[in-house]
Amino acid sequence: MARPLTLAGRPVHETLDRQTTKLARRLVRSFAEEIPIYRRLPREELDGDITRITEDNLRLISRMFRDGRPPTRAELAPLRSSSARRAREGVPLDDLLKAYARGARMVWEHLFAAATPADFEDVLAANRLILVYTQAVTGAVCTAYLEERESMLSHEQHTMHATVSALLAGDSAALAGVRLARRYLVLAVAAGRHADEDSDEPGGSIAGRRKLHRITTALRRHAAEPVLSVLDTTGGLVLVPCGPLDGCLAHVGEMAAATRADMSKAAGVPVWVAAELAPPAGVPAAAKLAEEVLEVVRLFQRPPGAYRLADVLLEYQLTRSSEATAALAGLLDPLLDNPDLLRTLKVYLDTGLDRRRSASLLHVHPNTVDYRLRRAVSLTGLDPVDPAHLQRIGAALAARRRLGLDWLDT
């Protein structure tokens, strides 16, 4: 066993043991004066739990000075328990670490302020032990704090998912005792991939989780009440609590657009949302409609943005399955042997029947566009210049998308 450290011929640990209670109170007063979060803690907690854990720390340092060794896991157990309690109370980890660092510095200054050159070796050894203490305590405190926060977040996430599931199922029994908003802005969300997600594992999954965290953080800024969400890295469903009915009805599009913009900016990826407004009882129908609208938006390759049913009425109707869907898709089957014709027809419609812009997008001469269109007309009997035929061509292309037959990259 190492020789106990001494100062002026007296064991340092004995000096610290005699002053533990008095020094602990002095340290706690300093925490309350210098660290704002401690100032807001109840007096009984400062005098009780905070003072007790401070005394535990002083006794831990005393044993290190006596035995000249690092703290054991068992000796760090009270610090881990205290750190978990601080996590549950919402004390920021940064402030918690400040308290430990400040305490270690004040102990050092208190014990060795009167040291002389004759104490040099023991002061140097004590300094090493303080560094060992700081390293061990930082690791124990951070690990316990983060484990507790992860457990809390997991519980919160489970509770939130259960609430969303109950809302979607219309399960009033499961919602008993749950405080719900009067109405929700229901958002179906699709998020693009971040460039970092394309890296090899584990970098890709880490980047995805970070993107998801940034999206959920941005969502929390849009309501005073908790935002309910079931999201993964590709998107999902979000329920944003909404205020007075008149204000919500008048500004659904603006609210959806603002929320989408914040999510996209925070995540650094393109984001698409489809929005509906509903009271809790109407969430199932609103969510179904929003998801269907989002599907149409993505199917027709609309740019990132916030959409409502009114924005895609025709496309929505064209993509509803019926006995006519397969027949509509089949109108363009004569073009399947020549993909260039189908691709040209699609681009021509997408550009508003602009042959020159179509030629530019297809990287061909305008005359080539004209030739391909004439060939398409001769094979299908459908001329996009004829308004009636144009509607049928649009419906046929929509049907092909609905049936998953639209494989061409335009």
Side-chain angles (χ1 to χ4, degrees):
M1 181 179 292
R3 173 183 65 82
L5 300 180
T6 62
L7 187 64
R10 285 183 293 209
V12 177
H13 71 276
E14 292 181 2
T15 301
L16 187 53
D17 287 342
R18 287 194 302 271
Q19 300 178 9
T20 293
T21 301
K22 181 179 179 180
L23 184 55
R25 291 173 180 165
R26 178 183 165 192
L27 291 176
V28 172
R29 284 198 302 272
S30 175
F31 300 158
E33 291 170 359
E34 301 296 331
I35 305 174
I37 191 67
Y38 281 85
R39 198 179 309 138
R40 295 196 292 271
L41 293 177
R43 172 51 58 184
E44 57 268 24
E45 183 170 2
L46 289 172
D47 292 341
D49 192 35
I50 303 299
T51 297
R52 280 193 297 273
I53 195 62
T54 303
E55 290 175 348
D56 285 339
N57 273 277
L58 293 175
R59 284 189 282 269
L60 175 58
I61 294 173
S62 176
R63 287 193 295 272
M64 293 179 67
F65 285 163
R66 182 191 67 196
D67 302 335
R69 60 167 177 79
T72 65
R73 179 173 178 79
E75 290 170 335
L76 291 168
L79 279 64
R80 290 195 296 271
S81 297
S82 176
S83 178
R85 287 194 294 274
R86 301 294 85 78
R88 290 193 294 272
E89 293 169 354
V91 174
L93 179 57
D94 181 54
D95 288 337
L96 188 57
L97 294 177
K98 284 178 183 176
Y100 278 97
R102 183 172 182 79
R105 179 171 62 82
M106 289 182 66
V107 169
W108 175 262
E109 293 172 347
H110 175 76
L111 291 176
F112 298 101
T116 67
D119 302 312
F120 178 76
E121 291 298 330
D122 281 37
V123 170
L124 190 61
N127 186 59
R128 293 194 198 98
L129 287 172
I130 286 291
L131 291 175
V132 170
Y133 160 84
T134 301
Q135 181 180 17
V137 165
T138 299
V141 166
C142 287
T143 299
Y145 186 99
L146 294 175
E147 285 177 349
E148 184 63 24
R149 287 300 301 167
E150 185 174 346
S151 175
M152 292 169 63
L153 289 172
S154 176
H155 177 72
E156 291 171 5
Q157 192 79 1
H158 174 76
T159 301
M160 180 169 63
H161 284 194
T163 300
V164 175
S165 297
L167 279 168
L168 292 175
D171 188 347
S172 57
L175 293 170
V178 178
R179 181 182 175 185
L180 299 174
R182 294 176 63 186
R183 60 195 55 83
Y184 289 96
L185 178 65
V186 181
L187 301 176
V189 180
R193 284 180 65 81
H194 194 281
D196 293 343
E197 291 181 86
D198 293 326
S199 62
D200 293 334
E201 295 292 343
S205 60
I206 292 173
R209 288 194 297 272
R210 287 175 176 168
K211 178 186 77 175
L212 181 57
H213 174 71
R214 293 194 298 271
I215 287 175
T216 55
T217 299
L219 282 170
R220 285 195 289 270
R221 293 195 290 265
H222 281 270
E225 298 179 65
V227 174
L228 303 177
S229 65
V230 182
L231 292 169
D232 59 25
T233 57
T234 63
L237 186 68
V238 175
L239 306 180
V240 182
C242 192
L245 179 59
D246 291 344
C248 287
L249 285 174
H251 302 290
V252 170
E254 294 175 15
M255 291 187 298
T259 305
R260 185 215 71 85
D262 278 0
M263 286 191 289
S264 182
K265 181 178 179 181
V269 298
V271 172
W272 295 258
V273 303
E276 290 297 324
L277 185 68
V283 165
K288 181 176 183 295
L289 179 56
E291 289 170 347
E292 289 175 345
V293 170
L294 181 63
E295 180 185 13
V296 170
V297 166
R298 301 292 280 137
L299 196 61
F300 280 82
Q301 301 176 350
R302 290 291 193 95
Y307 295 88
R308 302 200 66 198
L309 177 60
D311 299 317
V312 290
L313 277 176
L314 179 59
E315 295 91 335
Y316 181 88
Q317 187 60 39
L318 290 174
T319 54
R320 300 306 92 191
S321 293
S322 70
E323 294 181 3
T325 303
L328 280 171
L331 292 177
L332 299 179
D333 282 352
L335 305 182
L336 297 185
D337 289 337
N338 195 332
D340 284 342
L341 299 185
L342 183 55
R343 180 180 290 109
T344 300
L345 186 60
K346 287 179 60 180
V347 171
Y348 187 58
L349 264 65
D350 290 342
T351 59
L353 310 187
D354 187 329
R355 60 188 286 276
R356 292 192 176 278
R357 189 173 170 215
S358 298
S360 176
L361 292 173
L362 293 166
H363 306 292
V364 298
H365 193 277
N367 289 343
T368 302
V369 172
D370 292 338
Y371 169 75
R372 290 179 180 177
L373 290 174
R374 287 195 299 272
R375 288 276 296 143
V377 171
S378 67
L379 290 171
T380 64
L382 298 172
D383 188 347
V385 177
D386 185 322
H389 289 190
L390 179 61
Q391 290 180 352
R392 298 185 73 187
I393 294 171
L397 289 171
R400 297 189 67 81
R401 292 190 180 100
R402 183 69 181 86
L403 296 176
L405 302 175
D406 182 29
W407 74 95
L408 293 177
D409 180 8
T410 59

